[in-house]
Amino acid sequence: MHDLVIRGGTIVDGTGGPPYPGDVAIDGRVIVQVGGTAEPGRRELDADGLLVTPGFVDIHTHYDAQATWDPLLGSSCWHGVTTAVMGNCGVGFAPVRPDQRDWLVGLMQGVEDIPIEVLNAGLPWTWATFPEYLDALDGMPRAIDIAAQVPHAPVRVYAMGERGLDGEETPDADQLVEISRIVGEALRAGAVGVSTLRTRMHRGADGRLIPTNRASDAELMALAAGMADSGRGTFEIASDYSAGSLEEEFARYRNFARRSRRPISVPLLQDHNAPEQWRDVMAQIAAACGEGLAFSAQTAVRPVGVAMGLDSRAHLFSACPSYQALARLPLAERVAQMRRPAIKDRLLGEARAGAGGMDLARLFLMQAPIDYEPDASTSIAASAIKASVDPLAMAYEMMLEKGGQSYLYGPVRNFAAGNCEVVRELLESPLAVPGLGDGGAHCTQICDVSFPTSLLTHWGRDRRLGGLLPIATLVRKQTLDTARLYGLTDRGTLTPGMKADLNVIDFERLAVLPPVMAYDFPAGGKRLTQRADGYQATILAGEVTFAGGEHTGALPGRVVRSR
Ligand SMILES: [Zn+2]
């Protein structure tokens, strides 16, 4: 008698091999049989007509704060994710000295758009060192597993003190040793990686460039030494390549890889201002791999886009002087005011004068079923022309729909040509792994946390502007490939002996639903949430954690530690 049997599904086992019919049997926390006919189970799930996949491993989230107050970790938990890796992009909350907390909070707001008030109200600050932070996370039961990287910015400031806040300052010899020590200590305690941010686009809440932006080779080598010393972890480098030539930058990263002897993950998006640059970055990654170094690109599975509604931090009308008078009203009252013709005329006039900033030919209404690779003919501008109405007025009306819970989608990366061929090329590359969903971040402006679901629905079924990809490949990318990149060898495939993290999916019904603003963050903070249809069951460590999209109450999730 097994503890749990998933009976008669189509097994997509995460290896990339062809799907096949059969049962999956689970005893305790572990898969014991995959395929064939299993003995009866104490509990059985009928998977007839459904896909059975490994649980999804999302390598790019920013739940570093949310994980201290939210045991579910939505919205990832509603998208089949059973393991979320956080601590990305060089920002986070450990290690930390008491007088550095405000600065780390400000940096997280500046880079990832999580409000300072939310972070201040939510973070318990029961740690100083990174190992203590992991222990604090471990003290809380949760619905999904989490794994943490040690972020560069807190390490730098911890090692250098006040001077570390300034990117012009460089660590002295003792501080370099301290940086290595902190990184080694964090990885040995269970951090699964180290991350850094080298962009000029991101700034702290104080408006200053982030201090890791121009970290010297010596400082990077100090991080690498800590990684080499522990023999653990993956290094994530988020760069906008504004520091000099790509060649120079990648020479630096190759040195890092040689010194650390660890895998390197390079987030890669198509910049609409340099639409071919991603090819050069891929060529650098391929060249490094050719030298035997473990480089891979981290790619978004659709455009990265803004989801813009009336409660977003900024929207088409938020900068209008007349909007300021309404901005603090509760959403329902604001909508009622904005429906008044006089106010509408005034706002439209002001927005036109101030040119709202968004190109309405590149803005789309998010309605079910959401098409994340929208055809130009469905843009607000095109729709308005067809309907012989003013485009801005149409956008205005759209934003008032659903009581103000209606969102406009503006793709800002991976969509230069008006389609996702860039994404297809990347997904077809063995050198690219999906990520960049940014779960937990960009609270009111971006809702890309649904990437894992889109990977299956868009590329496996719905795409209209180009070819599809095999479902077995798509599942492997979000399971085996992501798990292995972060050294998680106990999950990622449906194989006897593996941790029993699974999804049972009604693929025909699988769909990403439109985002909804929730007001449930600490201090009444707002966040975009997004759910999905079609996840029949999500199973973590042998327990059904989500059934039909709803949490069952089970909290078998833990902190996953590197070994
Ligand atoms: Zn990030």
Side-chain angles (χ1 to χ4, degrees):
M1 187 73 118
H2 295 295
D3 289 333
L4 177 63
V5 171
I6 302 161
R7 183 110 24 220
T10 298
I11 296 168
V12 188
D13 66 10
T15 65
Y20 56 95
D23 300 343
V24 175
I26 294 162
D27 286 341
R29 296 163 50 85
V30 175
I31 296 169
V32 294
Q33 180 182 337
V34 180
T37 303
E39 299 281 299
R42 257 178 281 281
R43 177 167 185 192
E44 299 215 354
L45 298 180
D46 177 10
D48 185 30
L50 308 178
L51 301 183
V52 184
T53 74
F56 299 153
V57 178
D58 185 337
I59 60 170
H60 198 117
T61 74
H62 293 280
Y63 290 127
D64 310 70
Q66 194 180 335
T68 67
W69 68 72
D70 176 8
L72 299 189
L73 292 180
S75 298
S76 290
C77 67
W78 299 306
H79 292 275
V81 172
T82 49
T83 307
V85 177
M86 50 196 213
N88 279 286
C89 301
V91 293
F93 304 106
V96 62
R97 299 182 202 281
D99 63 345
Q100 297 164 349
R101 291 171 185 164
D102 286 349
W103 184 78
L104 292 186
V105 161
L107 185 67
M108 186 60 86
Q109 171 175 286
V111 175
E112 303 295 347
D113 199 11
I114 307 174
I116 287 174
E117 310 79 67
V118 167
L119 297 170
N120 279 338
L123 282 163
W125 296 119
T126 52
W127 58 85
T129 67
F130 199 86
E132 289 167 0
Y133 173 63
L134 286 183
D135 289 344
L137 293 170
D138 229 353
M140 183 170 157
R142 51 187 83 248
I144 69 174
D145 279 354
I146 53 171
Q149 301 172 91
V150 58
H152 184 182
V155 170
R156 172 181 233 263
V157 174
Y158 193 86
M160 295 172 66
E162 181 95 33
R163 278 182 60 235
L165 304 179
D166 186 343
E168 302 297 322
E169 296 283 347
T170 52
D172 65 26
D174 289 346
Q175 288 162 348
L176 289 172
V177 171
E178 177 66 353
I179 286 172
S180 297
R181 185 196 67 75
I182 294 166
V183 167
E185 171 189 75
L187 290 164
R188 275 190 297 273
V192 296
V194 180
S195 68
T196 193
L197 186 60
R198 296 174 73 79
T199 67
R200 295 186 68 78
M201 166 177 98
H202 293 106
R203 288 166 193 269
D206 56 8
R208 286 199 292 186
L209 283 173
I210 50 141
T212 58
N213 158 55
R214 289 288 182 275
S216 65
D217 288 348
E219 186 174 341
L220 291 175
M221 284 302 139
L223 298 174
M227 297 188 79
D229 172 56
S230 67
R232 303 182 191 193
T234 297
F235 189 53
E236 186 233 3
I237 312 171
S239 175
D240 60 3
Y241 310 108
S242 59
S245 73
L246 268 188
E247 287 69 24
E248 280 170 49
E249 200 62 7
F250 270 86
R252 184 170 283 138
Y253 301 166
R254 285 202 299 276
N255 284 337
F256 188 100
R258 283 188 204 100
R259 176 72 182 93
S260 65
R261 298 189 301 277
R262 302 305 307 164
I264 309 254
S265 176
V266 181
L268 179 56
L269 296 165
Q270 182 192 39
D271 182 340
H272 289 193
N273 296 315
E276 294 298 316
Q277 188 194 44
W278 68 274
R279 290 188 193 280
D280 301 332
V281 175
M282 277 309 274
Q284 292 288 341
I285 288 171
C289 291
E291 292 173 21
L293 302 171
F295 275 62
S296 56
Q298 188 182 135
T299 180
V301 311
R302 58 182 206 222
V304 166
V306 297
M308 196 170 57
L310 282 183
D311 260 349
S312 299
R313 189 167 48 73
H315 57 72
L316 290 171
F317 306 97
S318 57
C320 297
S322 299
Y323 188 80
Q324 300 311 313
L326 309 174
R328 290 185 190 286
L329 295 177
L331 183 59
E333 280 178 49
R334 213 177 326 142
V335 169
Q337 289 294 326
M338 288 178 72
R339 286 203 185 286
R340 293 169 54 194
I343 290 183
K344 177 178 173 180
D345 286 349
R346 216 179 310 142
L347 285 172
L348 285 173
E350 289 172 6
R352 234 171 247 124
M358 297 293 289
D359 177 0
L360 297 179
R362 287 284 196 144
L363 210 54
F364 304 84
L365 177 63
M366 296 178 94
Q367 54 188 346
I370 305 172
D371 186 349
Y372 280 105
E373 190 180 4
D375 189 85
S377 66
T378 65
S379 75
I380 292 172
S383 306
I385 289 164
K386 250 179 274 167
S388 304
V389 295
D390 172 61
L392 194 61
M394 181 178 252
Y396 187 97
E397 289 301 327
M398 283 172 169
M399 289 179 73
L400 298 184
E401 284 171 22
K402 294 199 248 174
Q405 280 277 12
S406 170
Y407 292 86
L408 308 182
Y409 182 62
V412 294
R413 296 280 191 282
N414 286 349
F415 203 65
N419 64 51
C420 287
E421 280 300 290
V422 172
V423 177
R424 180 188 58 75
E425 282 193 53
L426 284 169
L427 287 176
E428 285 183 337
S429 167
L431 300 182
V433 175
L436 290 169
D438 269 348
H442 308 292
C443 295
T444 67
Q445 301 266 72
I446 296 176
C447 196
D448 285 343
V449 62
S450 51
F451 277 178
T453 304
S454 277
L455 180 64
L456 268 61
T457 55
H458 190 72
W459 295 100
R461 191 191 64 200
D462 292 343
R463 189 170 189 235
R464 293 176 300 125
L465 295 185
L468 300 175
L469 297 172
I471 197 78
T473 304
L474 298 171
V475 169
R476 189 201 73 222
K477 290 220 157 247
Q478 196 64 58
T479 56
L480 179 63
D481 289 1
T482 44
R484 290 303 174 273
L485 178 57
Y486 275 88
L488 308 177
T489 53
D490 64 342
R491 64 197 70 200
T493 61
L494 300 181
T495 316
M498 283 289 185
K499 185 163 178 285
D501 297 350
L502 301 91
N503 286 310
V504 181
I505 299 170
D506 185 344
F507 186 55
E508 281 163 36
R509 270 202 325 118
L510 191 65
V512 177
L513 300 178
V516 174
M517 194 71 77
Y519 304 84
D520 59 354
F521 259 9
K526 298 180 281 192
R527 59 165 177 152
L528 283 169
T529 61
Q530 191 165 35
R531 293 193 178 232
D533 266 341
Y535 288 102
Q536 217 60 11
T538 296
I539 295 155
L540 183 74
E543 290 189 50
V544 178
T545 44
F546 290 83
E550 294 303 324
H551 183 221
T552 61
L555 296 172
R558 296 287 176 269
V559 173
V560 190
R561 295 181 191 250
S562 63
R563 273 173 299 179

